[in-house]
Amino acid sequence: MMENNPEKSQRTKHEFSADRPISSIEEDLLGRAPFAKSLASAIKGWQGNESLVVAMYGPWGSGKSSVKNMVLQTLRLAETNCPLIIEFNPWQWSGQDQLAEAFFQEIGLLLGRSDGSEDGKRRAAKWRTYGTYLTLGASLAKSLKTILPILGLPGSGIADMLSKGMEQSATVAQEGSKGVEDQAVVQQQTLAEIKKELSDSLKELERPILVVLDDIDRLTPEEIRLLFQLVKANADFPNVVYLLLFQRDIVERSLDSSPAVSGQEFLEKIVQVGFDIPRIERTRLEKVLFAGLDELLTDGDVGKRFDQTRWGNLFLGGLRPYFQTLRDVYRYLASLSFHVSLFRSTGSFEVNPVDLIALEVLRVFEPVVYRRLPEAKLELTNLRDRAHDSHDENERTRKLIESIVEAASQPGQVREIVKELFPPVEWVFNGSMYGHDFKEEWFRELRLCHPDVFDRYFHLAIPEGDISQAELDRVLSLVGNREGLVVEFRALNKRSLLGVALDRLEAYKQKIDLQHAVSFITALFDIGDELPEDRGGFFSISPDTHASRIIYWYLKQEMDIGRRGAILKEAMKATTGLYLPIRIASLEGNEEKRKKDPDAFNVTDADLDALHHICVEKIEQAAGSGILTSHRNMLSILYCWDKWASHEKPRQWVEKLIDSKEGVLSFLTACLHRSTSHGMGDYVSQEHWRINLTNIEDFVPVGTLERKVAEISPDGLSDKEKSAVKAFQKAIKRRRDGKPDDGHWADDEDEG
């Protein structure tokens, strides 16, 4: 339960962090642990006479450091062959002089700590001497012309840079060389001789050295070039493995300093094995997002104004592309968490939750657009009759709104968000206009587009399972085979993967050939009654919504509206399914939207009447056969029957149904409404079951049902049946106490 306690709300901690990488496999939310374990296994198994240079590529925020931490955890937990690990973050060392010195110093310290024997001390001393020789510069190493061929480095451009860097660090390096056991410098030993001795010594290591270099792309271009030259200089030592983490294009541009050798070519000469960070599975990423949204916003007051259809349209049409990395999700949730606490501080939720979610996306990801919205309040919220406005006034408004959209990093997405948030300016994009009769409704819903609510907004993450591409390809290969596709859908459903399959299938909804229209849509209708029940929070996209969207957009490919109607009629007549055809017919029958935007619908008015007739026949067959008796969507089907046929038939059917105990329980269960809430600090949501007596009396007198419920013994009832009886009894008491039927669920929590 989300508590409406102002003081407690103000104390809420905002613990999301956009920049903190995970530290262990146990924290992995994105399924990258297998990749990290495989990479650790490859590093652990490396046995070579030269160094191994491994690179992990990925943009900022893609999770490179998190994968690195899982790799190192795996290595450290290994019973055998765990390398000596040195994590060297070059970003912590400012300046080329410190960077070069620190590189050798840190590795030398590891060698000294890992082996206290005389051989170990000599090996560490050789390493320090070698580092001193490289960092002293041209005066100590005789000349760069001697050093560069030994290191295998390119010509004069890099020589100039190395010379400058070495000269800057010469003083520090000279002081650091005092007391070094190996007096090779004094003895005028050549760099090649020192390197040969050090190489022989490193071969004797029982465990290899793993040097991890993270945040390379945060360095200056000069520091990046120096760092890669240091790696290059040491890339032929045995028992040394480098793991480099960086954004590839940034590093390539920094290395692209010579006309003779491009940054890409130079990088390829150094890195032997390169990996792109595994792409994030959208289902896992959205699960984290949806869980965070549920925890922040699933409150009773929020639920009263949460429109699932608006949320689905906004997320799928406008918001989804902004969430590409876990950093995007955490950064967004951290900001949203703060603003939710402000809007909840009065004891009520002061804004519309769907509008807040969308506006927060603009605040976080499109700050230029967000900052321009308040200055355009009049244009965004004014329901003036544009037909009576001057041409110049309308053009000024149009240009202002379009300029706001074009200022976005993703104009197409912002256009969809603005259209949904601000219906008064929808005419700018498609000519549709709203009348003043919507204004009161927008105020009741605390919508951003109402001028009296607007200022409030500015005055301050699916199931674990997934399907493979091969399985999705198999579904697509069966679109012309109704029976085969139904079998495949049911097989996926047994593995709890049907909802995921429909989510993925949305990407292909306008790519499937229309020649398969009847068989494909009929198969979807066939499994409509078997779709998994949506048990997520407010923010999950339900499987039947995915199925409906697939059918809608798939049919939109057919330009002939008469042909679209014919396809739907044929599929509805042929299907064995009940609920999905009724849902499609109901969506097509939204009278308000049909008047406003008839082109948005798939069938004509005449075909819509035919679809209703087909559905009524199917409902009456289901009522006669007993299928409707146990259907989980019984209530919504009864309302469609009432609307499309007559008031009497569904009432007569319900009266006959409740003649038996089983029928009473079935009807009550169908009237149950589920909601969830989170307590402050809770990780698990709480379920609440309600029955609205208005739904009951639309089909049967409440008193009649009350007498029948009183005769039912609780013994032997299922948990859901007990919940239904309890919810009904609470609803009766709520009405007798003078409380509204649709009041807050917490009003009757103490009634036992």
Side-chain angles (χ1 to χ4, degrees):
M1 170 184 173
M2 189 67 72
E3 300 177 71
N4 289 327
N5 183 323
E7 294 183 3
K8 191 168 184 179
S9 296
Q10 293 172 356
R11 295 196 303 268
T12 300
K13 295 181 180 179
H14 310 290
E15 297 178 348
F16 298 107
S17 171
D19 294 310
R20 182 185 65 83
I22 65 171
S23 58
S24 67
I25 288 174
E26 291 72 23
E27 299 176 68
D28 179 34
L29 298 176
L30 302 179
R32 288 168 163 180
F35 171 81
K37 291 178 180 178
S38 297
L39 182 54
S41 178
I43 292 173
K44 188 174 65 172
W46 171 256
Q47 293 179 346
N49 293 323
E50 295 183 350
S51 292
L52 172 66
V53 181
V54 179
M56 188 187 305
Y57 310 126
W60 286 5
S62 59
K64 299 185 297 297
S65 296
S66 294
V67 173
K68 174 206 71 176
N69 289 342
M70 290 191 287
V71 169
L72 299 186
Q73 180 196 24
T74 302
L75 291 172
R76 287 170 175 142
L77 292 176
E79 296 181 358
T80 58
N81 296 334
C82 176
L84 303 171
I85 299 172
I86 174 69
E87 292 190 70
F88 180 67
N89 193 320
W91 192 50
Q92 298 174 347
W93 305 91
S94 61
Q96 297 182 56
D97 51 347
Q98 291 189 44
L99 183 62
E101 180 188 0
F103 178 84
F104 290 104
Q105 181 181 3
E106 293 294 304
I107 297 176
L109 289 174
L110 174 72
L111 286 171
R113 287 197 306 266
S114 63
D115 186 354
S117 66
E118 291 301 317
D119 287 341
K121 293 177 181 178
R122 281 193 292 270
R123 185 182 298 115
K126 285 186 176 70
W127 177 269
R128 290 194 295 271
T129 300
Y130 176 70
T132 298
Y133 221 128
L134 287 183
T135 55
L136 276 176
S139 61
L140 185 60
K142 301 295 192 295
S143 75
L144 284 172
K145 292 182 180 180
T146 303
I147 298 175
L148 291 175
I150 296 174
L151 301 183
L153 293 175
S156 60
I158 294 177
D160 293 340
M161 191 283 303
L162 265 180
S163 176
K164 181 179 178 182
M166 288 178 175
E167 288 169 2
Q168 291 175 343
S169 60
T171 301
V172 176
Q174 285 173 333
E175 293 178 357
S177 65
K178 294 176 181 178
V180 172
E181 295 178 21
D182 190 334
Q183 298 298 320
V185 175
V186 177
Q187 298 169 8
Q188 297 299 303
Q189 197 173 6
T190 68
L191 180 61
E193 291 170 339
I194 297 173
K195 188 172 184 179
K196 174 64 169 58
E197 289 183 3
L198 179 57
S199 180
D200 292 339
S201 180
L202 289 172
K203 286 181 182 179
E204 300 172 2
L205 284 174
E206 295 182 1
R207 296 188 292 164
I209 300 171
L210 172 62
V211 182
V212 183
L213 302 174
D214 200 354
D215 291 330
I216 296 174
D217 42 22
R218 296 191 183 190
L219 300 173
T220 66
E222 293 77 13
E223 290 168 340
I224 289 175
R225 288 195 290 271
L226 174 59
L227 183 68
F228 273 90
Q229 287 151 9
L230 291 172
V231 172
K232 173 75 172 174
N234 300 282
D236 55 356
F237 282 131
N239 277 325
V240 180
V241 179
Y242 293 92
L243 177 58
L244 316 178
L245 298 93
F246 54 88
Q247 183 169 326
R248 182 167 183 167
D249 59 334
I250 293 177
V251 168
E252 287 183 347
R253 286 196 299 270
S254 299
L255 296 176
D256 197 9
S257 59
S258 169
V261 181
S262 70
Q264 179 181 351
E265 292 172 327
F266 187 62
L267 189 62
E268 290 174 350
K269 291 179 180 296
I270 297 176
V271 175
Q272 289 130 297
V273 183
F275 297 97
D276 287 308
I277 193 80
R279 290 184 62 85
I280 298 175
E281 298 177 34
R282 180 162 292 279
T283 51
R284 292 179 182 269
L285 185 67
E286 289 177 3
K287 180 183 177 184
V288 178
L289 172 64
F290 293 158
L293 290 173
D294 271 332
E295 185 172 354
L296 291 175
L297 294 171
T298 49
D299 176 81
D301 288 332
V302 177
K304 289 193 296 186
R305 295 188 178 92
F306 191 90
D307 187 325
Q308 185 73 37
T309 300
R310 286 191 66 233
W311 157 251
N313 289 338
L314 256 172
F315 181 74
L316 295 172
L319 309 182
R320 196 177 207 179
Y322 287 102
F323 299 100
Q324 298 295 326
T325 69
L326 200 56
R327 177 174 293 179
D328 295 336
V329 171
Y330 284 160
R331 177 186 170 202
Y332 172 76
L333 290 175
S335 179
L336 182 63
S337 173
F338 173 75
H339 289 93
V340 165
S341 68
L342 293 181
F343 289 126
R344 189 179 271 140
S345 62
T346 63
S348 297
F349 203 61
E350 298 292 338
V351 294
N352 184 281
V354 176
D355 285 11
L356 178 62
I357 290 168
L359 187 64
E360 201 62 31
V361 166
L362 297 181
R363 190 199 310 268
V364 173
F365 301 110
E366 298 284 3
V368 175
V369 172
Y370 174 80
R371 287 194 294 268
R372 292 194 60 184
L373 294 179
E375 65 190 42
K377 174 184 176 180
L378 179 62
E379 291 77 10
L380 291 167
T381 62
N382 198 337
L383 273 175
R384 293 162 57 182
D385 187 351
R386 297 291 168 182
H388 293 89
D389 282 349
S390 68
H391 177 269
D392 289 345
E393 179 66 19
N394 285 337
E395 281 303 301
R396 188 194 69 80
T397 299
R398 185 190 303 276
K399 289 180 180 178
L400 174 62
I401 301 305
E402 289 179 344
S403 70
I404 291 174
V405 170
E406 293 304 319
S409 62
Q410 299 189 51
Q413 304 308 126
V414 169
R415 182 177 294 107
E416 295 304 312
I417 295 171
V418 170
K419 282 167 58 178
E420 184 61 44
L421 289 181
F422 301 104
V425 298
E426 189 169 330
W427 65 273
V428 171
F429 307 106
N430 57 23
S432 299
M433 293 192 184
Y434 283 75
H436 282 78
D437 53 332
F438 288 95
K439 200 167 184 178
E440 291 184 357
E441 178 184 343
W442 290 338
F443 182 79
R444 290 193 301 269
E445 295 296 323
L446 301 180
R447 292 281 303 276
L448 175 62
C449 59
H450 196 284
D452 292 341
V453 182
F454 180 91
D455 291 332
R456 300 182 192 179
Y457 289 84
F458 297 95
H459 282 174
L460 315 163
I462 87 193
E464 287 293 334
D466 205 346
I467 65 171
S468 67
Q469 186 62 41
E471 288 172 314
L472 186 56
D473 287 341
R474 175 166 174 76
V475 169
L476 292 168
S477 72
L478 293 169
V479 293
N481 179 350
R482 170 190 170 186
E483 292 78 11
L485 186 55
V486 169
V487 169
E488 187 68 17
F489 280 145
R490 285 175 175 156
L492 289 168
N493 205 18
K494 286 182 179 179
R495 297 163 53 204
S496 301
L497 294 175
L498 182 55
V500 176
L502 292 176
D503 180 32
R504 297 302 177 87
L505 195 58
E506 275 221 49
Y508 298 86
K509 58 183 177 286
Q510 290 185 290
K511 300 296 182 181
I512 299 171
D513 198 315
L514 278 170
Q515 67 174 322
H516 304 306
V518 173
S519 60
F520 177 52
I521 294 176
T522 304
L524 286 170
F525 283 161
D526 286 344
I527 55 93
D529 301 299
E530 305 169 39
L531 291 175
E533 189 174 1
D534 178 25
R535 303 292 290 177
F538 286 117
F539 308 98
S540 300
I541 308 300
S542 65
D544 52 3
T545 297
H546 282 304
S548 300
R549 284 176 53 85
I550 290 169
I551 293 171
Y552 174 83
W553 289 108
Y554 173 58
L555 282 176
K556 272 295 182 183
Q557 296 178 94
E558 175 57 64
M559 302 305 296
D560 184 348
I561 192 171
R563 175 60 183 153
R564 296 200 296 259
I567 291 170
L568 276 178
K569 286 186 286 187
E570 186 176 352
M572 285 187 181
K573 289 177 181 178
T575 184
T576 58
L578 176 64
Y579 175 64
L580 202 51
I582 294 172
R583 177 183 170 91
I584 295 296
S586 179
L587 292 172
E588 287 288 330
N590 188 316
E591 297 176 2
E592 182 181 290
K593 290 187 177 180
R594 287 184 76 84
K595 292 177 182 178
K596 186 174 60 179
D597 189 8
D599 293 338
F601 293 86
N602 274 321
V603 299
T604 63
D605 290 344
D607 281 335
L608 180 60
D609 290 339
L611 295 182
H612 289 168
H613 180 72
I614 294 169
C615 288
V616 168
E617 288 185 345
K618 298 182 75 66
I619 292 171
E620 292 179 350
Q621 290 172 4
S625 66
I627 291 176
L628 184 56
T629 301
S630 57
H631 204 290
R632 73 168 183 248
N633 295 303
M634 179 204 297
L635 186 63
S636 61
I637 294 172
L638 286 174
Y639 275 114
C640 289
W641 191 6
D642 177 275
K643 183 177 180 180
W644 298 337
S646 69
H647 296 304
E648 294 305 318
K649 287 187 177 181
R651 286 163 177 73
Q652 291 171 356
W653 183 82
V654 172
E655 288 174 2
K656 184 177 179 181
L657 174 69
I658 63 174
D659 281 342
S660 67
K661 168 187 172 182
E662 292 75 18
V664 170
L665 293 172
S666 178
F667 181 63
L668 283 180
T669 302
C671 293
L672 270 180
H673 171 69
R674 173 183 174 270
S675 63
T676 60
S677 67
H678 275 82
M680 298 295 288
D682 287 345
Y683 290 96
V684 180
S685 62
Q686 299 177 1
E687 280 189 331
H688 308 280
W689 295 99
R690 295 290 300 276
I691 285 180
N692 191 324
L693 291 184
T694 302
N695 297 143
I696 300 289
E697 56 195 2
D698 279 341
F699 298 100
V700 66
V702 172
T704 300
L705 194 61
E706 183 180 7
R707 289 191 296 273
K708 294 182 178 293
V709 170
E711 298 172 357
I712 296 176
S713 169
D715 297 336
L717 299 187
S718 68
D719 290 342
K720 193 163 188 178
E721 289 171 340
K722 290 178 181 177
S723 296
V725 170
K726 187 176 181 180
F728 177 70
Q729 292 169 340
K730 284 185 176 183
I732 293 291
K733 186 176 187 303
R734 190 165 57 245
R735 177 175 286 188
R736 287 174 179 166
D737 291 344
K739 298 177 182 178
D741 290 340
D742 59 351
H744 194 285
W745 58 262
D747 290 343
D748 55 11
E749 284 300 291
D750 59 349
E751 295 175 12

